[in-house]
Amino acid sequence: MNQNLRVTVLIENTSAGSLTCEHGLSFFIEADRKKILLDAGSSEAFAENAAALGIPLTGLNAYVLSHGHYDHSGGFEAIFRADPNAKIYARKEALDTYLSASGGMHEISIPPNVAAYRDRFIPVDGIRKILPDVYLVPHHSENLSKIGEKSKLYKKQNEEIVPDDFIHEQSLVLNTGNGLIIFNSCSHAGAANIIREVREACGQRKVYAYVGGLHMRGVKNGTETCAFSEAEIDDLCNAFLREDVSQIYTGHCTGAPGFKKLQKRLGDRVHRLTTGMQFDL
């Protein structure tokens, strides 16, 4: 893949213009005449934004779900209704039950109205090539359940609630002339782990860009905070610098306080995502 890649943010937590924003994420990706939708936000607002931007969402080359949470899957019913042939690549565990203990234990799974289209999900197991130079890469580093417990994220397993090990999460990876471009919507498995595993899966090619949330957002007494310690932020930034990742586009679960700390350390490598923005890689 040698041509430029253009990304349009169809939904994100913030908006600089008149488009709707919500707690969620959705990307429309164009590269070498391929068109890919990654995630569909919490509701069908992403589709309304796409219509306002003149972006068609039917007949695309691929539809991808990053992981099995409502804020990335909630709008997919709009796709299913509009395009009877549309099928979504998702980890085979994506339709399981997931919970968060932040603010009291509550379910954060794919909503029932979307899960009802079970036959429209293409279950992915392992690394999957879905288009030329386009791959889905799962994450299975050791002790991911410890990250899940720290993040207060859980799953149901044999009727038991256990820490989430993020087996339902995958990266969308594009192999370009500039290097690998990683899209990972929430980076639950940890960006350093994700970069390492993607490079192992893709012949140790350089990672040129990383796009998605970094799961740094916290809330304390009703105020948004950064959930990462200074040491954890240093480790994260050092991973990006060690791999010489040239471009980092982040938002959604990164949060404003976390973004400011990243920008202070990484400078103009890091850019903030917002609804409606377009950028080329």
Side-chain angles (χ1 to χ4, degrees):
M1 184 180 296
N2 296 311
Q3 296 180 8
N4 283 348
L5 180 151
R6 169 157 286 194
V7 181
T8 302
V9 184
L10 297 181
I11 205 85
E12 199 266 341
N13 298 37
T14 62
S15 179
S18 59
L19 295 177
T20 301
C21 63
E22 66 182 11
H23 178 74
L25 200 59
S26 177
F27 296 113
F28 179 72
I29 303 161
E30 300 171 274
D32 286 354
R33 295 182 294 279
K34 303 180 188 72
K35 296 180 180 180
I36 303 167
L37 180 72
L38 173 62
D39 291 351
S42 296
S43 72
E44 297 186 10
F46 86 101
E48 296 168 6
N49 288 343
L53 294 168
I55 294 175
L57 295 179
T58 56
L60 305 188
N61 298 98
Y63 301 86
V64 177
L65 174 63
S66 62
H67 61 287
H69 288 171
Y70 77 93
D71 50 328
H72 299 266
S73 60
F76 271 124
E77 188 177 6
I79 299 293
F80 296 143
R81 290 199 311 268
D83 187 344
N85 297 312
K87 293 195 174 184
I88 296 169
Y89 290 98
R91 292 285 295 164
K92 61 186 180 65
E93 299 84 3
L95 285 160
D96 292 347
T97 300
Y98 297 98
L99 307 103
S100 171
S102 296
M105 192 70 79
H106 59 284
E107 189 171 342
I108 55 173
S109 309
I110 294 174
N113 64 309
V114 177
Y117 291 85
R118 184 174 289 267
D119 62 330
R120 298 284 204 100
F121 287 78
I122 302 173
V124 178
D125 188 11
I127 298 166
R128 179 82 170 259
K129 182 179 181 180
I130 60 172
L131 293 167
D133 293 316
V134 182
Y135 302 86
L136 299 175
V137 179
H139 303 293
H140 48 74
S141 296
E142 292 183 5
N143 299 319
L144 290 185
S145 59
K146 289 185 178 179
I147 297 177
E149 190 167 26
K150 180 179 181 295
S151 302
K152 298 182 179 180
L153 293 173
Y154 298 87
K155 66 178 184 178
K156 269 192 178 178
Q157 183 173 287
N158 300 323
E159 299 306 313
E160 199 178 338
I161 295 175
V162 299
D164 196 346
D165 57 2
F166 310 114
I167 197 169
H168 59 108
E169 182 174 64
Q170 60 187 352
S171 290
L172 172 67
V173 183
L174 283 74
N175 187 11
T176 77
N178 290 327
L180 302 174
I181 298 176
I182 299 174
F183 290 83
N184 191 295
S185 295
C186 279
S187 306
H188 292 110
N193 290 330
I194 289 164
I195 290 169
R196 175 178 51 78
E197 291 183 348
V198 166
R199 292 193 70 228
E200 288 173 357
C202 299
Q204 299 296 340
R205 284 213 70 202
K206 169 184 165 55
V207 175
Y208 171 68
Y210 194 103
V211 183
L214 294 168
H215 216 258
M216 300 171 69
R217 183 180 181 272
V219 177
K220 188 174 182 178
N221 299 324
T223 301
E224 186 175 85
T225 62
C226 178
F228 278 29
S229 68
E230 292 299 316
E232 288 171 326
I233 296 168
D234 285 341
D235 286 345
L236 173 61
C237 292
N238 287 338
F240 283 128
L241 293 170
R242 184 170 59 250
E243 298 291 344
D244 194 25
V245 181
S246 300
Q247 302 291 327
I248 302 156
Y249 285 84
T250 190
H252 179 48
C253 57
T254 299
F259 180 84
K260 288 180 181 177
K261 291 176 182 290
L262 292 175
Q263 195 170 51
K264 182 178 179 180
R265 290 164 170 81
L266 297 172
D268 58 8
R269 290 178 190 249
V270 63
H271 314 273
R272 187 168 186 176
L273 297 169
T274 189
T275 302
M277 76 180 289
Q278 291 184 319
F279 55 94
D280 295 329
L281 293 169

